[in-house]
Amino acid sequence: MPRRIAICAPATPITRDHAEAVTALAAMEFPALVLAFHDQCFRAEGHFAGADAVRLSAFLDCANDPASDAVWFAKGGYGSNRLLPGALDGLSGAARAKTYLGYSDGGFLLGALYARGIGQAVHAPMPTDIRRAGGAEAVRRTLAWLAGDTGGIEPHCGAEPTAAFNLTTLAMLLGTPHMPDLTGHVLMVEEVCEHLYAIDRLFFHAAALLPRLAGLRLGLVSEVPANDRPFGADAEEIAAYWCARAGIPYLGRAAIGHSATNRIVPFGLARSPGGA
């Protein structure tokens, strides 16, 4: 029986041509998957894919639909956090058996779901990645995983539980009731469009509140704006510095980030769709 993948946009909208390209790719290469884009994905109200209430309603439509096996976030941007805690409080029993996929701003929902033990949270490429150079391969990676192929999982996912976040998203979650307990986890973080001094500041905050990790890996740090003077350390040196100060083992790099090479990281122990 085909697996139905419900797609909503908790933050910012996508275009219909991007949705059509992803749908065509899935139909051609993954006939066991049926993609269902919620019409809300194409709404626009200011920065967002519809007002907060519209985005919340669409998320709950997808999550509570017993006919859907997974909920795939169409795009990041900013706005998923504005749906909390309503996005959790409105979930039915059907939502608890689903897989939830996305990254970047979608980490607000993934982290909150993982904190409550609802479904399977997965850091994974999103439909909007089809617009990137080589983006079809990123989208293909998520579709393949949903179809049961675990080859796209980040290679350092192993015996220890894992989690993956955009660094800014993680820092904003820390200290809120939506932050999961990552004790004993290998945490993977990535960043985009932030100055190196801002990355340093984010690590200052995160490292102080995450001392019980099994380790940290740094993903891609891309599109770093130029500062008015050299910062004096690159992103990996910054990560290693704050890990050392906090007593967190720095484990090296991870294959995640805002690029077509972004890999899949199931939260917890690496699993196939549905927890098999």
Side-chain angles (χ1 to χ4, degrees):
M1 179 179 296
R3 302 189 80 231
R4 187 173 188 273
I5 314 302
I7 303 169
C8 61
T12 58
I14 63 169
T15 63
R16 291 190 183 274
D17 60 325
H18 291 153
E20 290 165 3
V22 173
T23 299
L25 176 61
M28 181 177 298
E29 299 185 26
F30 303 95
L33 303 178
V34 174
L35 304 189
F37 281 87
H38 197 291
D39 195 59
Q40 171 269 328
C41 292
F42 316 112
R43 294 277 297 271
E45 184 165 331
H47 173 86
F48 305 106
D52 291 351
V54 171
R55 303 194 320 282
L56 175 60
S57 177
F59 171 75
L60 294 175
D61 285 348
C62 293
N64 291 334
D65 180 5
S68 296
D69 300 287
V71 178
W72 195 10
F73 304 145
K75 187 181 177 184
Y78 170 71
S80 300
N81 59 309
R82 294 167 64 103
L83 307 190
L84 296 169
L88 302 178
D89 296 340
L91 294 177
S92 70
R96 297 184 174 274
K98 285 185 172 55
T99 300
Y100 298 86
L101 306 100
Y103 74 102
S104 191
D105 181 81
F108 284 112
L109 288 172
L110 296 178
L113 289 162
Y114 190 53
R116 290 237 193 142
I118 297 171
Q120 181 179 14
V122 182
H123 166 106
M126 298 180 289
T128 189
D129 285 308
I130 198 76
R131 63 183 169 78
R132 298 185 187 276
E137 188 57 36
V139 171
R140 186 178 286 113
R141 195 174 299 123
T142 299
L143 293 171
W145 188 84
L146 285 165
D149 181 351
T150 59
I153 289 180
E154 208 284 337
H156 297 100
C157 294
E160 293 163 313
T162 53
F165 286 96
N166 169 262
L167 183 57
T168 298
T169 301
L170 173 70
M172 296 302 102
L173 270 175
L174 283 164
T176 75
H178 309 301
M179 179 66 200
D181 181 1
L182 298 182
T183 299
H185 286 60
V186 172
L187 173 63
M188 305 182 190
V189 295
E190 55 81 25
E191 192 51 87
V192 63
C193 296
E194 292 288 352
H195 289 84
L196 288 171
Y197 70 79
I199 293 168
D200 190 79
R201 183 168 56 209
L202 291 165
F203 267 113
F204 157 76
H205 178 66
L209 296 173
L210 292 168
R212 297 175 294 170
L213 295 174
L216 182 140
R217 287 188 175 276
L218 180 66
L220 180 66
V221 177
S222 56
E223 301 179 49
V224 177
N227 197 23
D228 62 351
R229 70 199 74 183
F231 182 71
D234 64 23
E236 186 165 20
E237 290 168 334
I238 291 168
Y241 171 83
W242 286 108
C243 282
R245 283 190 57 164
I248 298 170
Y250 178 68
L251 304 177
R253 304 307 296 260
I256 65 168
H258 281 67
S259 78
T261 62
N262 190 23
R263 306 281 285 193
I264 291 167
V265 181
F267 282 46
L269 295 174
R271 295 181 292 173
S272 57

